Amino acid sequence: MTLARIALREVVAHKARLALALVAIALGTAFVAGTLVFRDSVAASARTSFAASAADVTVTPRTGGADRQDGTGLPATLPARVLDATARAEGARAAHGRIRVTDTVVLDARGKPLSSRGDTIADWPTDADSAPRLIRGRAPAGPAELVITAGPADAHGIRLGDRLRIMAVPGTFEATVVGIGRDRADRAHDADVYVDAPTAQRALLGGAGRYTSIAVTAAPGVDDTRLRHNVLTALSDATPYTVRTRDGEAAARGDAAGASLDVVTYLMLGFAGISVLVGVFLIGNTFSMLVAARTRQSGLLRAIGARRGQVDRLILAEAALLGVAGSTVGLALGVGLAAGLLRIVGQVGDAPAAAAPTLRWATPVAAYAVGVLITLTSAYLPARRAGRVSPMAALLRAAGPATARSLRVRNIVAGATGLLGTAALLGAVGADDLGTAGPLLALGVLLTLVGVVAGAPTLSVAAVRALDRLLARRPGPVGRLARGNAIRDPRRTGATAAALTVGIALVGFLSLVAASLVTSVDGQLERTMNADYFVMSTKPMTEQVARVVRETPGLDHVTAQKAVRADLITAHGTDKDHDLTATTERFTDDFRLAFTAGDARSTLTPGGDGITVPQAFAEEYRLAVGDPIAVRFHGGGTARLRVGGIVRDGDVFSSGATYVGTHVVRAQLPADQVPLDDVYIATAAPGADRDRVYAALAERLHDHPQTKVRDRESYRNALHASVALALDLVYALLALAILVAVLGVVNTLALSVLERTRELALLRALGLTRRRLRRMIRTEAIVIAVVGAVLGLLPGLLWGVATQRVLATKGLDTLTVPWTTCAAVLVGAVAVGVLAAWLPARRAAQVPLPAAMVDQG
C-alpha cells in the first residue's frame, strides 16, 4: 500500500509530464472501444428490430444450394412446393411466401435513382401483422401500383400519384405511388418500395410460383424451436434450405448488418493499431526520461531500504495508474465516436440505425486490457533501469545516460535482425513462386523494422552527425548546441525519431507500390488493349443494357464477358470453385493476350472445344497444350475440353484469368441459369469519330444510371482514382501515427526542457537570448524529425522495391520511385519539427533566471 500511495502521488505530481502519454493511450483505446461499441450497437439494434417483425420460423435458400442462380442477377429462390410443405408442417398455423430483391434501381420522375447503392423492393405482405404502417394512401392492388417508404419519399419529394420507373433483371416497368408507409419495426432501409405479390414474382423474379423466403406462423401453444423441428421434418434434412427461429433469424440478420459495415470496422481497428504502435514509443520515452530525472529519488528509496524489485514495481504502478486513466478517457471517447458513427449510418447506411450505443462487458475489458498492457509493456524497460541504479551512484549524480554496454547490446540485436531481414527480402526477390516469396517478404519487412527501431539510438546519432555540416552553417552556436543536445542522449533521440520512423516507413512503402502500380497499369493498358470503350455496371447487365450498347451507331463490334464458376478436373487434381471468364472470338481483337504456349483460337471460335488457363495453374497441375480438362459447371453439365493456350502471368488485366467460349457455357447451363454479362468491350468502326461515339454511348446509357461507359482515357483516370482513394484511406491511418509521433516529439522536448532547466538558465546567463534559445529548441526538434523521416523513408523504399520485384510477374512490372512524395515527407518533417517545438520553446524561454538556477535535484 505504501508503494501504491507513492505511485499515486508521483502521477499527480508529474501529471503535466504524463499528459501527452495519456493522450496516446486514450487515442488507441478510443478506437478499440469505438469499434466494438459501433459494431455491437448495429448488431443489437438489427437483432431487436428484426425480432420485432420476423416470423416464428423463417425458411430461406441455403447459399450454394440447387436453387441458387449465381450470376443471373436473380436472387436464390424457393419453389411453391416448399411453401406447401411448410404450411402442412405440424404446429404451423399459416405460411406466407415473401419476396425481397435488392439488385434493382428505382428512378423518380426526374430519372434519378432513389439510392446510389441500389434499391430494395419487396412484396406487400398479405398478413396485416407484417405489413408496413401506412402514413398516407393505401396498399398496392395491381401491377401498376406501389407503396414507397417515407425516407426515400421525403428525400426525393415523391408524393401520391407520382410515377416511378423500376429497373429489374427481368425487365423495366412503371408504377404509380398509391401509398407512403413506414416499416412497423422502424428499420432503416428494410425496403424502399413495395408492390403486390403477383407483380413482385413476375417483374422481380421472372415468373410465378417462387419466393425468396417463407414466413411460418406457429399455432397457439407451439414454441419456435418445436415448430422449426417440425418444418425441417416436413422438408427433410437433405433439402438445400435454411430454417431459423425468430431469434435465430434476428441474430443472423443482425450479424449480417454488422458485417456490412466491416470496412468501417477495419478502418477503425487500423487507426487503433497504428496509434497503439506509435504510442508505445511515446510512453516508453516518457518513462525513460522520468526515470532519469528521478535518479536521486530512486537512490534515496534504495538507501532507506527499498529493494530493487520495489523500485521496479513503483514505476510499473505509476504506469498502471496512467494506463487506467488513459483507458477510462479512451473508453468515453470511444463511446462518443461510436455514437457519431451511428448517427451517420442511420442516415446513409444499409444497416438499421441504433437508438443508443450498446456497451457490452467485453468492450471495457478490451479497452482497459489494451491501455494498461501497452503502458506496462512500454514502461517495463525504464522500470528495470530504475531498479538497477545503486544507491550511492544515484546520490552522486542527477541523471545518467544509457550505458555503452546497453547500447552495444541493442546494436548487436539491431544488426542481427537487420541482416536477417535483408536476407529475407533478398530471398523473397529471388523466390520462384509467390507462395514462398510472400512469407519471406513479410518476415523481411518485420525484421528490418525491428532492426531500425532497435538501432534507432545509434542510427539517429550517426544521422545527426551527418547533418553536422549543414547545422554548423547556422549563425552562432545554436546549431552546434542543438546537435549536441540531440546526441547527448541517444536513447531519447532514437525513441522519439522511431515514432516518426514507423509511420513514414509505411508512407514510403505504400507510395512506391502505388506509383509502380499506376505506371504498370498505364503501360499494360497501352500494350494490351485495342478496344475503345468499356461498359461496366455495379448491378447485373440486363438485356436492355445489352441492346442499348449493341444498337449504338458507330460501333464496329461489341464483345461481352460473363463470369461463371465451375470445378476444373485434370489428370493431376481438381480445382474446385474456379472462376471462369466466358467471352467470344472478337475478344482477341480487343485484348492482346500473351501466351507462353498455344493461343485462343480453339477456345473462343464458335464450336471450339478449348480452354485457356493461366501459367501458374498450368504449372501447378502440369498441363500442356492439348491436355484434357473436364469442366463441371455449377448447376449444369460437364464439358470435356482441351487446353488451347496457356496465358502468361504478369499482365494486370489477364493475370490468373481462365477463358472459355460463351458457346460452351450456353451448352452446359440451363437457359435460366446462364449468367448475365458483367462487362462489354466495344470498338469504334473504322473512320468513325471516337469522341462522338463515346458521347452517343453515354447518352443512350443515361437511363441506366447503374451502368457507366468509359473510353481509354477515362478508364485510365478511373484506375488512377481507385488507387488514389485506397492510398488516401491508408494515408488517413498514417496521419494518426504522425499525429501521435508529433505528440512524442512535443513530449520529449517538454521533458528535456524540464530536465535541463539549470543548463538553459546558464546559457541565458552567458548571453544566449530568448530568441536564440527558442531557435535552439526548434532546431533540435527539426533534427529529430528529419532523422525520423530519413530513417523511415530508407527502409520503406527498400520494402517497396522488394514488393515490386516479387509482384513483377503478377502485373507490377514497372518500378517507379515517388520522388515527389519523398521530398514532401522531408519538407513535412521540418514542419513537424517546427510545430512540435513551439510550446516547449516558449516554455524554455519563459523560465525566470533566478528560479532556474536553483538546484532542482
Side-chain angles (χ1 to χ4, degrees):
M1 291 299 294
T2 302
L3 284 178
R5 287 196 298 270
I6 295 174
L8 181 59
R9 289 173 184 168
E10 290 296 336
V11 169
V12 174
H14 299 101
K15 54 183 178 293
R17 302 186 185 188
L18 297 171
L20 292 180
L22 185 141
V23 170
I25 300 167
L27 282 174
T29 54
F31 285 106
V32 172
T35 301
L36 296 176
V37 171
F38 174 69
R39 189 178 178 90
D40 290 344
S41 300
V42 171
S45 178
R47 283 193 294 269
T48 301
S49 58
F50 289 138
S53 60
D56 296 324
V57 169
T58 301
V59 183
T60 56
R62 184 178 301 163
T63 302
D67 290 294
R68 180 81 175 173
Q69 300 182 48
D70 292 323
T72 64
L74 296 173
T77 58
L78 302 166
R81 58 181 172 81
V82 177
L83 176 61
D84 296 337
T86 54
R88 293 193 300 268
E90 182 181 352
R93 187 182 69 182
H96 302 278
R98 297 300 310 273
I99 301 164
R100 187 174 183 271
V101 180
T102 56
D103 282 333
T104 60
V105 178
V106 181
L107 305 177
D108 62 15
R110 295 169 295 178
K112 293 186 177 181
L114 298 188
S115 172
S116 60
R117 68 184 182 280
D119 304 294
T120 301
I121 304 180
D123 66 311
W124 186 265
T126 55
D127 53 320
D129 292 339
S130 301
R133 183 171 60 248
L134 282 170
I135 301 174
R136 294 185 295 277
R138 58 177 176 82
E145 295 181 351
L146 62 82
V147 169
I148 186 171
T149 50
D154 294 340
H156 289 260
I158 296 172
R159 295 173 294 182
L160 296 178
D162 287 356
R163 297 280 290 178
L164 303 183
R165 186 152 56 100
I166 300 174
M167 306 176 69
V169 171
T172 300
F173 65 99
E174 292 188 356
T176 302
V177 178
V178 297
I180 297 177
R182 190 181 303 279
D183 186 84
R184 287 186 181 275
D186 293 325
R187 294 197 299 269
H189 311 306
D190 181 63
D192 302 301
V193 171
Y194 292 87
V195 296
D196 68 327
T199 301
Q201 288 182 322
R202 184 190 69 257
L204 303 179
L205 302 181
R210 302 195 74 85
Y211 310 93
T212 58
S213 66
I214 294 172
V216 188
T217 305
V222 179
D223 62 32
D224 295 356
T225 304
R226 179 66 180 173
L227 178 59
R228 177 180 179 274
H229 174 76
N230 294 340
V231 169
L232 283 171
T233 301
L235 293 176
S236 82
D237 293 340
T239 52
Y241 312 121
T242 298
V243 182
R244 296 191 182 100
T245 62
R246 181 189 300 270
D247 291 342
E249 180 70 7
R253 296 188 68 178
D255 292 342
S260 68
L261 299 169
D262 276 348
V263 172
V264 179
T265 301
Y266 295 146
L267 191 65
M268 292 174 64
L269 286 176
F271 276 110
I274 291 178
S275 61
V276 165
L277 176 63
V278 180
V280 166
F281 295 105
L282 192 157
I283 298 165
N285 211 11
T286 299
F287 277 95
S288 293
M289 297 181 68
L290 286 176
V291 165
R294 287 161 44 190
T295 306
R296 284 191 174 183
Q297 177 184 332
S298 299
L300 181 60
L301 288 174
R302 294 292 308 279
I304 63 176
R307 294 186 300 274
R308 176 174 171 175
Q310 288 179 307
V311 177
D312 291 350
R313 290 194 295 274
L314 175 61
I315 302 299
L316 293 177
E318 293 180 35
L321 290 172
L322 181 66
V324 170
S327 301
T328 303
V329 175
L331 180 61
L333 291 175
V335 173
L337 176 63
L341 286 173
L342 290 171
R343 288 179 62 87
I344 296 174
V345 169
Q347 296 172 2
V348 303
D350 294 326
T358 299
L359 186 63
R360 298 174 58 223
W361 66 267
T363 300
V365 170
Y368 281 104
V370 169
V372 174
L373 285 177
I374 65 168
T375 310
L376 290 175
T377 302
S378 305
Y380 176 72
L381 289 179
R384 284 183 59 85
R385 285 200 296 272
R388 200 178 291 127
V389 176
S390 67
M392 291 306 298
L395 291 172
L396 291 174
R397 69 186 185 199
T403 64
R405 181 178 179 183
S406 64
L407 280 181
R408 283 199 297 270
V409 172
R410 286 189 63 154
N411 292 339
I412 291 172
V413 172
T417 53
L419 289 174
L420 289 174
T422 303
L425 292 176
L426 292 174
V429 171
D432 294 331
D433 61 282
L434 191 59
T436 303
L440 283 175
L441 180 63
L443 180 63
V445 169
L446 178 61
L447 290 177
T448 50
L449 177 61
V450 171
V452 170
V453 171
T458 301
L459 293 174
S460 298
V461 170
V464 171
R465 286 176 173 154
L467 295 172
D468 183 32
R469 182 174 301 176
L470 175 63
L471 295 176
R473 289 177 185 164
R474 299 184 61 85
V478 172
R480 289 188 295 275
L481 285 171
R483 166 190 174 274
N485 290 333
I487 291 176
R488 181 187 307 171
D489 191 342
R491 286 183 177 275
R492 182 179 64 204
T493 302
T496 307
L500 280 168
T501 296
V502 173
I504 291 177
L506 293 175
V507 169
F509 166 57
L510 294 169
S511 297
L512 188 145
V513 172
S516 299
L517 177 61
V518 168
T519 306
S520 299
V521 168
D522 284 350
Q524 292 181 34
L525 186 63
E526 292 299 322
R527 292 195 304 269
T528 61
M529 291 291 188
N530 287 333
D532 296 313
Y533 316 107
F534 310 90
V535 180
M536 295 162 287
S537 177
T538 57
K539 299 295 178 184
M541 290 276 205
T542 62
E543 183 56 36
Q544 301 102 297
V545 174
R547 187 165 52 250
V548 166
V549 173
R550 291 193 178 99
E551 293 176 356
T552 301
L555 291 179
D556 179 69
H557 66 275
V558 176
T559 302
Q561 287 186 4
K562 60 184 68 192
V564 63
R565 184 163 292 183
D567 300 333
L568 302 188
I569 305 170
T570 74
H572 300 285
T574 299
D575 186 46
K576 293 187 175 182
D577 296 331
H578 194 95
D579 290 321
L580 308 177
T581 300
T583 187
T584 59
E585 61 180 332
R586 296 303 299 270
F587 176 67
T588 54
D589 296 334
D590 303 320
F591 199 107
R592 291 188 290 273
L593 292 175
F595 292 93
T596 61
D599 53 37
R601 189 177 301 109
S602 65
T603 299
L604 303 182
T605 303
D609 64 348
I611 179 173
T612 66
V613 297
Q615 182 179 353
F617 183 88
E619 293 172 355
E620 179 180 359
Y621 290 95
R622 290 174 280 175
L623 295 173
V625 173
D627 287 350
I629 294 182
V631 182
R632 185 169 57 211
F633 290 91
H634 292 185
T638 299
R640 308 292 176 178
L641 305 178
R642 292 189 176 275
V643 176
I646 298 175
V647 182
R648 186 191 67 193
D649 290 337
D651 290 334
V652 172
F653 300 100
S654 64
S655 186
T658 302
Y659 295 95
V660 296
T662 303
H663 61 279
V664 175
V665 175
R666 296 191 182 280
Q668 298 299 328
L669 288 175
D672 63 347
Q673 292 193 36
V674 173
L676 295 174
D677 299 329
D678 53 21
V679 65
Y680 294 112
I681 305 171
T683 302
D689 187 324
R690 286 181 170 82
D691 292 337
R692 294 185 64 179
V693 174
Y694 178 50
L697 262 174
E699 181 180 358
R700 291 169 68 86
L701 290 170
H702 177 75
D703 292 336
H704 301 272
Q706 76 278 20
T707 305
K708 301 295 182 183
V709 59
R710 301 188 185 279
D711 60 4
R712 288 194 187 190
E713 188 60 30
S714 62
Y715 184 64
R716 178 185 291 106
N717 293 338
L719 291 174
H720 290 188
S722 63
V723 173
L725 177 61
L727 206 56
D728 287 344
L729 291 175
V730 174
Y731 283 162
L733 288 175
L734 298 177
L736 182 68
I738 302 301
L739 172 62
V740 178
V742 170
L743 295 179
V745 177
V746 173
N747 199 43
T748 298
L749 293 175
L751 291 176
S752 67
V753 165
L754 291 175
E755 269 187 23
R756 297 171 355 209
T757 302
R758 296 186 65 198
E759 173 191 328
L760 297 176
L762 180 60
L763 290 173
R764 290 285 314 284
L766 293 174
L768 190 67
T769 64
R770 293 178 185 267
R771 180 180 179 184
R772 289 191 171 186
L773 182 61
R774 288 195 295 267
R775 183 190 298 173
M776 183 186 74
I777 301 296
R778 283 197 302 270
T779 303
E780 183 179 350
I782 292 172
V783 168
I784 293 174
V786 170
V787 166
V790 172
L791 293 182
L793 278 177
L794 292 178
L797 294 177
L798 175 65
W799 302 340
V801 171
T803 302
Q804 185 273 325
R805 297 312 306 157
V806 167
L807 297 178
T809 59
K810 300 299 179 183
L812 201 66
D813 57 2
T814 305
L815 176 66
T816 303
V817 179
W819 297 114
T820 302
T821 301
C822 296
V825 165
L826 294 177
V827 172
V830 174
V832 164
V834 173
L835 178 65
W838 184 67
L839 284 176
R842 283 177 56 87
R843 183 169 184 174
Q846 291 171 356
V847 175
L849 282 180
M853 295 301 293
V854 176
D855 189 354
Q856 302 295 322

